[in-house]
Amino acid sequence: MPSDGTSAFYKENAEIYANRARSLPKQQLDAFLAAIAPGGAILELGCGGGQDSAYMLTQGFDVTPTDGSAELARQAEALIGRPVGVMLFQQLDADSAFDGVWAHASLLHVPRPELPEVFVRIRRALKIGGIVHASFKAGTAEGYDGLGRYYNYPSAQWLSELLTKVGWCSIAIAEHGGSGYDGKPTRWLTVSAKR
């Protein structure tokens, strides 16, 4: 994770964060899974408490959950009953290994200058025709929230240009309202793209 504040927050609050009341992003999960063959291999980047991985496992997919926080990874392991890899996005080095990458509300912590390379790594990790799902808090400039966590706050246009530049196709970006862990109203960008 990019900043001491971000990693410190998840280290100190892992149990509370992982066990908070959270609605699954079921509509987005189901749309993502519908685009992947039954039993397909999925990499989750930033699995947090493990709820999304748990759901994908119940749907019969071969899920590899990872998180940049060792403390959150332990929380996720307790929920799903299987190992969770501790890995920063910048350490991803898989090649043509996955049918899908699920990165819900996680890549938003990647420093802006590092995001292109992370998307290159994700694209390489996917099989030809594989898909990525990612969500971001919308904005125009990077910054920090009231809890000290770093966010890259991209615009839809900025993200679209970045993804196009590093070779993604079938790029779709939707914007909707919601909130985050801090309870504040948030504009969310949901991205899907294909290798």
Side-chain angles (χ1 to χ4, degrees):
M1 283 180 221
S3 78
D4 291 337
T6 306
S7 54
F9 172 84
Y10 290 111
K11 180 175 184 176
E12 294 161 14
N13 298 282
E15 188 171 354
I16 294 165
Y17 184 83
N19 295 298
R20 73 197 187 282
R22 173 185 180 260
S23 298
L24 273 182
K26 195 164 179 319
Q27 186 176 353
Q28 295 167 358
L29 271 164
D30 288 341
F32 171 75
L33 296 176
I36 298 171
I42 296 171
L43 171 66
E44 183 172 10
L45 294 173
C47 70
Q51 296 92 344
D52 295 1
S53 276
Y55 177 76
M56 292 187 280
L57 286 164
T58 67
Q59 302 304 301
F61 290 89
D62 176 15
V63 182
T64 301
T66 67
D67 201 276
S69 162
E71 293 77 17
L72 274 177
R74 282 199 293 275
Q75 294 293 322
E77 285 176 353
L79 176 72
I80 62 178
R82 64 167 55 194
V84 173
V86 178
M87 178 186 76
L88 299 177
F89 310 123
Q90 296 86 338
Q91 296 170 319
L92 176 61
D93 64 358
D95 192 347
S96 303
F98 300 99
D99 300 292
V101 171
W102 179 259
H104 192 74
S106 59
L107 299 179
L108 39 64
H109 293 310
V110 176
R112 273 191 179 218
E114 297 174 29
L115 201 53
E117 175 62 22
V118 168
F119 270 113
V120 166
R121 288 176 177 273
I122 292 170
R123 189 171 175 275
R124 188 182 313 126
L126 286 167
K127 298 173 185 173
I128 300 296
I131 61 165
V132 65
H133 162 94
S135 58
F136 295 84
K137 291 184 177 186
T140 55
E142 57 194 331
Y144 293 82
D145 71 1
L147 301 171
R149 299 177 298 172
Y150 167 89
Y151 287 90
N152 46 39
Y153 295 119
S155 68
Q157 181 179 346
W158 188 88
L159 267 179
S160 180
E161 289 171 0
L162 182 163
L163 291 166
T164 302
K165 192 183 294 183
V166 297
W168 291 88
C169 59
S170 303
I171 300 164
I173 302 176
E175 186 169 341
H176 58 91
S179 65
Y181 178 75
D182 59 6
K184 297 195 171 156
T186 302
R187 292 303 296 171
W188 285 94
L189 299 175
T190 301
V191 180
S192 68
K194 189 176 286 191
R195 176 176 174 179

